[in-house]
Amino acid sequence: MIDPIPDLPPGVLGFRAVGVVEASDYRSVLDPAIDAAVAKGQKLNIVFVLGEDFSRYSLSALWQDVLLEGKPEGSWGRVALVTNRKVLGEMVHGLGFLMPAEFRLFALADLQTAIDWAAGEKVADAEA
């Protein structure tokens, strides 16, 4: 499941993955929030948390994730992935150059730093 993270700075969308993430989670939570921001002409600055309660992505959810790259050119701003899962973090970080956004990896302890960075603030290098 994907839960929105409330009370973030203006222009920042936040989501927390819990348990198994399915394609339906993208369609019901992530996609509508992203589409609303794009419709308003906002840059997509996203904080995505894969915490200790995250289990895995289904194959259909992984496909939904790939489809996100199809958002209009210039829509993407910053994407902060917040996780302590080293292997997953390293895989995503290694593929970050393929993303249409500025991408950065943060440890769970650095969640507030990740939020600040996604909001456009300059922060010290705090990669996981």
Side-chain angles (χ1 to χ4, degrees):
M1 136 174 61
I2 298 175
D3 291 329
I5 299 174
D7 304 320
L8 294 177
V12 177
L13 300 173
F15 305 95
R16 183 179 311 276
V18 178
V20 177
V21 175
E22 301 285 348
S24 60
D25 299 317
Y26 275 78
R27 290 189 296 269
S28 64
V29 178
L30 198 69
D31 291 344
I34 288 174
D35 290 343
V38 169
K40 292 178 187 174
Q42 298 173 343
K43 286 280 187 188
L44 295 173
N45 297 308
I46 298 174
V47 174
F48 201 86
V49 179
L50 301 174
E52 300 303 324
D53 48 0
F54 167 71
S55 178
R56 65 180 178 84
Y57 275 90
S58 70
L59 287 176
S60 60
L62 289 172
W63 177 247
Q64 289 298 124
D65 200 54
V66 169
L67 294 177
L68 287 176
E69 292 184 24
K71 298 300 175 192
E73 188 174 334
S75 296
W76 290 97
R78 293 178 164 189
V79 175
L81 176 63
V82 184
T83 187
N84 286 346
R85 295 176 181 251
K86 294 291 184 194
V87 172
L88 180 60
E90 289 171 6
M91 283 178 18
V92 173
H93 190 257
L95 296 172
F97 73 94
L98 295 173
M99 295 183 68
E102 186 177 351
F103 177 83
R104 195 155 167 199
L105 180 64
F106 295 86
L108 289 173
D110 296 321
L111 176 58
Q112 186 58 54
T113 303
I115 292 168
D116 294 343
W117 178 80
E121 295 182 27
K122 187 171 185 168
V123 298
D125 197 14
E127 289 195 8

